[in-house]
Amino acid sequence: FDQPPPAALSSLWPEGSLYLGSFSKVLTPGFRLGYLIAPPELYPKLLQAKQAADLHTPGFNQRVVHEVIRDGFLEAHIPSIRARYKANRDAMATALRSHLPAGCEWQAPEGGMFFWIRLPVG
């Protein structure tokens, strides 16, 4: 949260890798809309696999996401949502320090949402 996210690993080899993403953490959890960036020669097989796996993503959700990307809302929204998630992370760290017993260990996430906590033996 305190620095820009690192470049995706797929940026090192775009012609030989896939990049998967989702709008659920930065836009709205209920949409369950993701995206895939892949080499063009894989598109036909990926489309075939998606069609076999589900009955398509709702068109309304796709249109909403298209509009929020097109009009710049998403780009402007990401800094505010990052700030909100950082505040949530900091509140969780404060609560853990206040309420967990001695001997518990954790590292505050640098950009994710989840704490992994090591509890003392016993």
Side-chain angles (χ1 to χ4, degrees):
F1 296 111
D2 300 319
Q3 52 189 304
L9 290 174
S10 62
S11 68
L12 301 174
W13 189 35
E15 68 279 359
S17 60
L18 303 175
Y19 182 88
L20 300 163
S22 170
F23 296 100
S24 65
K25 296 291 188 286
V26 296
L27 194 53
T28 180
F31 273 14
R32 299 289 186 231
L33 184 64
Y35 58 92
L36 171 72
I37 301 171
E41 60 272 10
L42 292 181
Y43 290 173
K45 288 295 182 186
L46 292 168
L47 181 60
Q48 185 179 25
K50 179 166 175 25
Q51 289 173 340
D54 69 12
L55 298 175
H56 306 289
T57 306
F60 174 77
N61 296 2
Q62 294 179 54
R63 286 185 200 80
V64 169
V65 171
H66 172 77
E67 287 299 317
V68 300
I69 291 171
R70 187 181 63 79
D71 75 3
F73 173 84
L74 186 60
E75 189 174 349
H77 177 65
I78 288 177
S80 66
I81 199 73
R82 284 176 54 92
R84 179 174 295 149
Y85 288 154
K86 180 180 190 251
N88 290 351
R89 184 236 10 223
D90 294 346
M92 177 61 84
T94 298
L96 293 173
R97 282 191 296 277
S98 298
H99 298 289
L100 287 182
C104 293
E105 299 175 1
W106 65 87
Q107 182 175 351
E110 294 179 11
M113 303 175 101
F114 303 102
F115 283 76
W116 288 91
I117 302 170
R118 180 172 292 157
L119 302 175
V121 175

